[in-house]
Amino acid sequence: MSIPGPGGQGLQLTPFRGLRYVAERVGSLAAVTSPPYDVVVRPEGLRQLETADPYNIVRLILPQADSPEARHRQAADTLRRWQADGVLAPDPAPALYVYEQRDGPTLQRGLIGALRLSPREEGIVLPHEEVMPHVVEDRADLMRATAAHLEPLLLAYRGNGNGTSGNGADGPGTGGAAQVIESAIRREPLLSTTTEDGVDHHLWRVTDPADLVAVSADLRHHQALIADGHHRWATYLRLREERREPGPWDFGLVLLVDTARYPLRVRAIHRLLRQLSPDDALTAARRAFRVRTIDGPLPRALETLAEAARAEPGAPNAFLLAGDGRFHLLDRPDPELLARTVPEGRPEAWRTLDATVLHHALLDHLWHVSDTPEHIGYIHDPAAAVEQAERLGGTAVLMHAVGEDIVHELARQGIAMPHKSTSFGPKPATGLVLRSLTLG
């Protein structure tokens, strides 16, 4: 995704003084990291992270207290205390950071920096999902209280894949972001750790002025897709609007990945309907969907879901329901129901999305489930969704992943998908580098 014309402003990624854990003050770097805040959904997962190390980053991104105000105040107090005690310390000079993740055959590399914020209409950073206002409000309150960006967003852009900027530069230090990354990884990493999930993480610092200029010259020709972090991006924009004077709030912490070199994975995000029983869900669904009970275990049922989603191009929508100890496949929705419930005036690619049909035809019309936290949970792990549904007496709705080409095409048209339609990854680990707004 490139900004046309030689004068395009495009992406403006700037160095910053990273705030990082002091290795000698914590049990291990792996023990203080966490998945992104919205992936830590189970109470037992939160407790596991809290007990892994007293300084685990989850105490900042998901503080526990009796009220939202108390939670945010607690996070701010904890952040100040950790800095005062030398648990977190700023790097000596502004830098960009090369970040590498290795998960078996999967390799991802990108640049962490402070990205100049831009509204959607400028076409530089393209969201592809809608956001939930209550989540943005919560993240905004946390960022105001801490004056910090605690975890980077994941943004995807398309370079030309050969390590050059595409405008004739090919010398050392002038070959664009890809060459700067490849040069950095030949040096000793700033930090290395392996997290509990077996993923290796490495971080390098980039401070050489020629390298920073090369990255800047390359990225200004590109636009990026928000792969993960729509609510935090919306929060960045809201907080910038609150401030009249230019300053550090004009930038947001991001990880930029060139997907021409390092393609991302696209997975589904599943729904947990906390107060809808499987029996009630199936009874209502039979009015407009074909419903079949299918064989497990879960991996086999998910493969059946994938086959159903691919089977009939004219009616591709399919969902897997669980919660009663069995798996139920919903497919072949009634065309008349879709015509009545799915809004007009949007591209066909949007109108036929599973998430669109789920929210408009099933949740709104057949199930009458409101999209609020007490009714719907959004869960990345299908096994966790099924386990929670069975424990609560609710219904898990397991989804099939959307093709990346559809995500890019809708984003370029300025069409937002329903929130939590996709899960791009690998996601950056939270806790390796933070950005304090008081440091710039």
Side-chain angles (χ1 to χ4, degrees):
M1 292 182 288
S2 297
I3 300 293
Q9 292 304 303
L11 301 167
Q12 298 180 57
L13 191 69
T14 64
F16 70 103
R17 290 181 67 192
L19 187 63
R20 298 188 297 106
Y21 281 99
V22 177
E24 294 76 17
R25 295 299 311 276
V26 298
S28 71
L29 290 174
V32 296
T33 63
S34 163
Y37 80 96
D38 57 338
V39 179
V40 185
V41 293
R42 289 178 291 178
E44 59 270 28
L46 180 62
R47 287 193 293 271
Q48 180 181 355
L49 290 167
E50 288 180 325
T51 57
D53 190 284
Y55 300 117
N56 189 282
I57 192 70
V58 78
R59 297 179 186 274
L60 299 181
I61 63 172
L62 288 173
Q64 299 299 294
D66 293 335
S67 68
E69 295 80 7
R71 290 197 298 270
H72 303 139
R73 185 169 60 251
Q74 177 177 297
D77 292 343
T78 300
L79 179 59
R80 283 192 293 268
R81 185 173 67 253
W82 288 358
Q83 291 181 80
D85 293 347
V87 175
L88 289 168
D91 280 337
L96 297 179
Y97 297 84
V98 171
Y99 177 46
E100 177 184 281
Q101 294 164 275
R102 286 184 179 270
D103 180 10
T106 301
L107 171 64
Q108 177 171 283
R109 293 179 181 137
L111 284 167
I112 295 176
L115 185 71
R116 179 173 288 280
L117 304 179
S118 58
R120 182 183 203 143
E121 54 267 23
E122 291 186 8
I124 296 172
V125 175
L126 304 176
H128 70 271
E129 288 185 356
E130 298 169 349
V131 297
M132 295 177 281
H134 73 277
V135 177
V136 175
E137 186 62 41
D138 178 74
R139 292 295 101 181
D141 288 342
L142 179 64
M143 286 187 199
R144 287 191 200 97
T146 60
H149 295 158
L150 302 173
E151 46 188 337
L153 282 65
L154 176 61
L155 301 188
Y157 76 100
R158 296 282 180 86
N160 60 6
N162 63 8
T164 68
S165 64
N167 56 7
D170 58 5
T174 61
Q179 184 170 310
V180 170
I181 291 172
E182 296 306 315
S183 297
I185 63 171
R186 299 189 188 104
R187 305 192 299 266
E188 189 70 19
L190 181 66
L191 65 85
S192 296
T193 191
T194 301
T195 45
E196 188 179 50
D197 56 5
V199 178
D200 297 324
H201 306 263
H202 306 282
L203 200 71
W204 294 263
R205 194 162 42 211
V206 177
T207 57
D208 182 87
D211 287 339
L212 298 177
V213 168
V215 169
S216 178
D218 185 355
L219 294 181
R220 71 168 179 252
H221 297 283
H222 295 283
Q223 59 184 174
L225 177 78
I226 300 177
D228 186 68
H230 284 80
H231 290 90
R232 282 166 284 163
W233 181 259
T235 302
Y236 288 167
L237 294 176
R238 171 185 285 197
L239 296 180
R240 185 192 65 170
E241 291 172 0
E242 296 176 357
R243 286 156 176 81
R244 297 179 181 274
E245 300 298 323
W249 296 88
D250 293 336
F251 298 82
L253 183 64
V254 306
L255 166 64
L256 269 175
V257 174
D258 177 359
T259 56
R261 297 172 64 83
Y262 304 105
L264 298 177
R265 297 191 302 252
V266 187
R267 292 176 174 168
I269 301 177
H270 311 288
R271 275 62 169 164
L272 170 65
L273 310 184
R274 307 181 196 276
Q275 300 181 32
L276 180 69
S277 71
D279 281 348
D280 290 345
L282 291 166
T283 298
R286 287 190 178 95
R287 290 160 42 195
F289 284 78
R290 180 175 68 169
V291 178
R292 293 175 288 160
T293 299
I294 62 172
D295 293 333
L298 179 58
R300 181 176 179 181
L302 288 172
E303 181 54 38
T304 302
L305 171 65
E307 291 171 358
R310 296 189 296 260
E312 299 179 60
N317 303 115
F319 309 93
L320 190 64
L321 268 57
D324 61 354
R326 297 176 296 172
F327 298 102
H328 310 276
L329 183 68
L330 276 59
D331 63 357
R332 297 187 182 178
D334 178 5
E336 191 274 333
L337 171 71
L338 300 184
R340 284 192 293 111
T341 59
V342 176
E344 297 283 353
R346 299 286 186 95
E348 187 67 12
W350 181 90
R351 299 187 78 249
T352 56
L353 286 170
D354 284 342
T356 299
V357 172
L358 171 65
H359 281 262
H360 291 280
L362 281 165
L363 293 174
D364 290 349
H365 185 76
L366 294 178
W367 291 337
H368 306 291
V369 174
S370 59
D371 195 356
T372 57
E374 58 267 27
H375 287 96
I376 302 180
Y378 293 87
I379 300 181
H380 292 72
D381 180 7
V386 172
E387 183 274 326
Q388 290 193 54
E390 292 178 345
R391 178 163 48 84
L392 296 173
T395 300
V397 182
L398 306 184
M399 312 279 285
H400 183 62
V402 181
E404 184 178 354
D405 55 338
I406 295 175
V407 177
H408 282 278
E409 180 57 33
L410 289 173
R412 281 192 289 268
Q413 295 180 51
I415 302 297
M417 299 166 65
H419 52 258
K420 301 297 182 182
S421 294
T422 60
S423 175
F424 280 87
K427 302 179 189 299
T430 298
L432 296 181
V433 59
L434 290 62
R435 178 176 178 247
S436 169
L437 280 298
T438 62
L439 295 172

